Amino acid sequence: MAQKTLGILELENEAIKLPGFLAGPGTFHFPVKRITVPGATAKNVTEGDHSVSAAYVRCAKQLESEGVAAITTNCGFTSVFHAEVAAAVSIPIALSSLILVPQLARTLPAGRRIGIVTFNARNLTEHHFAGAGWSSKDIAVSAAGIEGSESWHEMLKPVPAPTVSAIVRDVMTATRSLLASNPDIAALVLECAGFPVAGEAVRCETGLPVADFVTLANTLIEMSPARKAQRSSQGLSATRSSFTPDA
């Protein structure tokens, strides 16, 4: 049986390659093909710059031509590009872990809330929820972010080098604040692709279900059929790299 490859549309900020991150060794049991989206940075994407949408579409089409089975990204704020990318390719895509919110909400008793821990709560809007296919009018959510923290500042750099301990600390700080303000939260979604390294710590301390980008990627690959490359991708403007993690 052919092995399935996940395509990841990445920001221009250099991908963090520590274990547990999307570009890190051993995070996935399947191959990953990564492509850098020209012009997309942590700063402009999280600040709502829609001018890079065409670059996301172009790079998604390139990944499809190279045979990936499904496509995601390394920034949850890219949910605003979901409709355009989905219309341009014929394989499953899920650009943001925010897509998991409705699924998680259906597992909860009536009257309970989903908590979203995000890179920047000030910039997370209904527009991002709509891009992920849902509305806060229909699903009760509250969000808290790590904006202003040590790891937030680090991940905005062109070559970020955050420590896992700093990310865990900053994510836990946001989570505690969120739960203190919203005691009806019964499950959590981590919006940022850098947050899965903190996922288990959040589960252990809160005792709540936690979904993140690794949850999303594993779901995409499980449901997607294997594919072969369609054509040469010469002439497309993008920076590419790939690796095959150990099983």
Side-chain angles (χ1 to χ4, degrees), residues 157-168:
K157 294 178 179 179
V159 184
T163 64
V164 171
S165 61
I167 291 176
V168 171

Side-chain angles (χ1 to χ4, degrees), residues 6-233:
L6 176 69
I8 302 180
L9 300 166
E10 293 187 336
L11 301 169
E12 284 190 338
N13 307 70
E14 186 173 304
I16 302 166
K17 300 179 180 66
L18 297 173
F21 289 85
L22 301 193
T27 301
F28 300 117
H29 65 277
F30 44 81
V32 172
K33 183 179 288 289
R34 300 160 32 227
I35 184 169
T36 301
V37 179
T41 67
K43 184 177 188 297
N44 70 347
V45 172
T46 60
E47 290 181 352
D49 181 1
H50 205 84
S51 68
V52 294
S53 61
Y56 271 93
V57 168
R58 184 170 66 251
C59 291
K61 291 171 71 173
Q62 179 170 334
L63 285 174
E64 181 182 33
S65 75
E66 294 176 356
V68 303
I71 295 172
T72 188
T73 76
N74 70 344
C75 178
F77 280 77
T78 59
S79 62
V80 295
F81 310 132
H82 186 100
E84 291 155 280
V85 174
V89 299
S90 59
I91 58 176
I93 72 160
L95 303 190
S96 172
S97 58
L98 295 174
I99 285 174
L100 298 171
V101 168
Q103 178 184 0
L104 208 55
R106 294 294 294 174
T107 70
L108 304 179
R112 304 307 293 271
R113 181 178 298 271
I114 299 288
I116 300 172
V117 184
T118 176
F119 185 73
N120 193 325
R122 292 194 296 264
N123 291 348
L124 190 67
T125 70
E126 195 69 32
H127 190 40
H128 298 98
F129 303 158
W134 55 276
S135 168
S136 63
K137 295 178 181 178
D138 303 317
I139 300 174
V141 297
S142 293
I146 67 162
E147 59 268 24
S149 68
E150 175 187 337
S151 53
W152 179 81
H153 284 291
E154 188 62 37
M155 285 193 280
L156 286 171
K157 294 178 179 179
V159 184
T163 64
V164 171
S165 61
I167 291 176
V168 171
R169 182 194 63 229
D170 295 339
V171 168
M172 288 307 312
T173 297
T175 300
R176 291 173 188 135
S177 174
L178 185 59
L179 294 177
S181 301
N182 301 274
D184 57 340
I185 287 175
L188 295 158
V189 172
L190 308 185
E191 169 275 319
C192 178
F195 289 178
V197 293
E200 194 56 31
V202 175
R203 291 185 194 96
C204 289
E205 177 168 319
T206 66
L208 299 177
V210 178
D212 56 32
F213 257 97
V214 172
T215 311
L216 181 69
N218 285 326
T219 301
L220 273 175
I221 283 296
E222 286 294 330
M223 74 180 198
S224 301
R227 299 179 61 255
K228 294 181 180 179
Q230 297 172 344
R231 58 178 174 79
S232 170
S233 57

